Amino acid sequence: MRSAPIRPSEITPEHVYLSRRRFIAGGAALTLGGVGAHALSEDWLTGRGFRPGAPIEGEDTTPIEYATAYNNFYEFGTDKDDPARYAHEMTVDPWSVEVAGEVAKPGKLGIEDLLANVDLEERVYRLRCVEAWSMVIPWIGFPVKALLDRFEPTGAAKFVEFTTLHRPDEMRGQRSFFSGIDWPYVEALRLDEAYHPLAILAVGMYGNVLPNQNGAPLRLVVPWKYGFKSIKSIVRIRLTRRRPGTTWNMLQPREYGFYANVNPTVDHPRWSQASERRLPSTLFSPNRIETRMFNGYEEVASLYADMDLRRNY
Amino acid sequence: MTASDARYRWAQATVIALLCAPLAILAWDFVREIRQPGVAFGPDPAETIVRYLGEWAIRILLATLAVSPVARLLGRPRLVRYRRTFGLAAFSYAVVHFTGYLVLLAGLDAGTFLADFVERPYITVGLAALVLLVPLAVTSTRRWQRRLARNWRRLHRLVYAIGVLACIHLLWLSKGDYMDAALYGGILALLLGERLARYTKRLRERGVHET
Ligand code: HEM
């Protein structure tokens, strides 16, 4: 398989519009969890245009009913079908995001205002989970930099920290008595990583607004890192001088590095990372493929030019 | 055949049927999945199936350990006759769980299996539990029971270690949330605690007689 970074030339010019209709296509998800039953009205996105993106050459896009029914979102439970079943309990409208720390113009903005001036585009990315499975998902979003610029990071800012909503009333995983995770979920990037054009904040997928189980209404997507870095349902962004503590890294530093770049040569104590199962797999074929360095996004290699990636896993 | 024999046979057949039910459901899901991929097992059939079987293996294993305390609690010592059926069912589910892992997750690849066995402690521990179950399954018959005499009970105390290994297996493969490990580990602790309490009581009583 070849690497297929998104080139501007591959992007068709006409605009497509985000639809309000959620998941009519996701039949399986609907019957499983009653995803369609809740009243979400992200009217601020309905009718917003986005520039469509090209599919990855030679790789099938994962069917929507799998991408919306098989999720790791521990705020709603640890089983893969828990998020599809319970994420509708989370209120995503109204939603605001606070931007703080090393910025000239800190503030808390309603998501409508936050996104008023950004151009939305579609990006079809591989998503590689640390559990050695992967999917291909068409996200709709915009570069992280477009949002950060607006708050004017200061020269001292070196890292960006993202925090997920903490609302145990609506997120049953956060109420679990046996949870090892110290909520809220926190992830972070080095500022130059966040500024890389491949790093996006997503508000939609498959031509629709994001379903709750996939991290509505705003999530990070960093395609060259393991999925747990791509934090969901963001309420706070903080620019910092020092490297922030991040959830999985603090829980099990030997298993989950801060960088968590997809790397077939560094094994994880639970899973070999040399290969992955591209979902959906079937009973008769695990659909195992070789894992590629940086998940096939070699253009990010320069970010790590003088680092030992075996130590900084 | 006396009436009580007949009742026993029926009861035994019912127990076997119940213990087979999760496998029957799995078989039916296989048929559905083959007809239309994705409907029964979702996008990751391998994980779904291996987890399902592992969960039933540990449930039935703990049920096996619960048979004799329940018989005592109800004051019906003859219920212990069903213990062997439960034990063999637990062993069977563990074997199918292991087979599911070998075929669906390791893809029948010896290299993958060996690497997993060496590098992933939860796999090593699971396999230890399975291997230890083999002599217990083999010697579960009346004949072996007679042949081994007192040693039979000693040998079958291995099941306590197997229970502990199974719970460690589950604990080590859990991440983020330890609800299942706590649940099954808690039940095991109760079952083992009850035995320990009885054992120390017996020791004390014996001590009293000797003085
Ligand atoms: C007495 C023996 C065993 C018992 C009672 C047992 C029980 C379990 C349980 C309860 C689970 C968790 C299911 C869940 O998360 O819902 C599990 C998962 C698993 N077991 Fe076992 N197990 C045994 C032996 C083995 C052996 C011998 C292997 C392989 C060599 C194995 C491999 C696995 C794997 C790979 C998983 C995780 C599946 C996944 O999450 O992808 N187990 N087992």
Side-chain angles (χ1 to χ4, degrees), chain B:
Chain B
M1 198 165 71
T2 68
S4 112
D5 276 346
R7 252 203 334 264
Y8 172 53
R9 285 213 188 159
W10 274 108
Q12 178 76 337
T14 311
V15 168
I16 292 175
L18 283 175
L19 288 170
C20 287
L23 261 188
I25 292 169
L26 183 69
W28 172 238
D29 279 347
F30 254 87
V31 175
R32 287 173 54 218
E33 182 77 17
I34 289 167
R35 285 210 201 124
Q36 195 186 340
V39 288
F41 301 129
D44 196 353
E47 190 190 88
T48 310
I49 293 167
V50 172
R51 292 197 153 204
Y52 175 85
L53 289 165
E55 221 158 294
W56 278 105
I58 201 166
R59 283 177 193 155
I60 298 174
L61 184 67
L62 293 177
T64 312
L65 279 166
V67 172
S68 67
V70 167
R72 273 194 296 275
L73 207 65
L74 299 179
R76 299 182 58 182
R78 279 159 70 81
L79 284 180
V80 174
R81 290 184 297 187
Y82 299 102
R83 195 170 54 187
R84 173 170 183 245
T85 313
F86 274 86
L88 286 176
F91 175 63
S92 310
Y93 276 90
V95 168
V96 186
H97 171 61
F98 175 58
T99 313
Y101 157 81
L102 272 187
V103 177
L104 301 171
L105 282 173
L108 280 180
D109 179 55
T112 305
F113 170 66
L114 280 179
D116 272 358
F117 176 69
V118 177
E119 287 169 25
R120 307 194 206 290
Y122 77 93
I123 300 260
T124 320
V125 168
L127 199 65
L130 182 64
V131 168
L132 290 178
L133 275 171
V134 174
L136 303 198
V138 170
T139 61
S140 68
T141 59
R142 279 262 170 81
R143 259 184 62 208
W144 271 103
Q145 208 162 356
R146 252 179 262 127
R147 197 184 298 175
L148 292 175
R150 291 184 56 200
N151 286 330
W152 189 88
R153 297 196 72 160
R154 287 196 193 140
L155 176 65
H156 281 251
R157 281 196 196 116
L158 263 183
V159 72
Y160 304 142
I162 293 166
V164 173
L165 289 172
C167 285
I168 296 178
H169 173 63
L170 179 57
L171 180 69
W172 281 353
L173 68 86
S174 307
K175 55 190 187 89
D177 194 284
Y178 303 96
M179 171 95 114
D180 277 5
L183 176 69
Y184 293 121
I187 294 173
L188 179 73
L190 271 180
L191 291 169
L192 296 190
E194 189 261 355
R195 276 152 173 105
L196 191 67
R198 277 167 32 87
Y199 178 72
T200 51
K201 191 164 154 240
R202 260 201 322 256
L203 275 190
R204 230 178 302 128
E205 281 168 1
R206 215 183 307 158
V208 169
H209 287 306
E210 276 163 13
T211 48

Side-chain angles (χ1 to χ4, degrees), chain A residues 66 70 74 78 80 131 176 178-181 248 256 267-272 277 279-284 288, chain B residues 30 33-34 37-38 41-47 49 104-105 119-120 122 172-179 182:
Chain A
Y66 293 136
Y70 187 90
Y74 278 23
T78 53
K80 297 287 192 297
E131 295 168 351
S176 168
F178 293 102
S179 174
I181 295 176
W248 283 106
Y256 309 95
D267 262 1
H268 182 282
R270 288 171 210 265
W271 306 277
S272 162
R277 284 172 302 126
L279 302 185
S281 53
T282 67
L283 272 180
F284 303 106
R288 205 171 266 287
Chain B
F30 254 87
E33 182 77 17
I34 289 167
F41 301 129
D44 196 353
E47 190 190 88
I49 293 167
L104 301 171
L105 282 173
E119 287 169 25
R120 307 194 206 290
Y122 77 93
W172 281 353
L173 68 86
S174 307
K175 55 190 187 89
D177 194 284
Y178 303 96
M179 171 95 114

Side-chain angles (χ1 to χ4, degrees), chain A residues 64 71 90 111 115 121 124 134 173-174 177 231 249 258 278 291 300-302:
Chain A
I64 182 174
N71 309 98
M90 170 175 68
I111 192 155
L115 304 178
E121 57 182 299
V124 185
S134 63
Q174 292 177 341
F177 189 69
I231 184 171
N249 181 241
F258 171 79
R278 175 60 56 84
T291 290
V300 302
S302 58

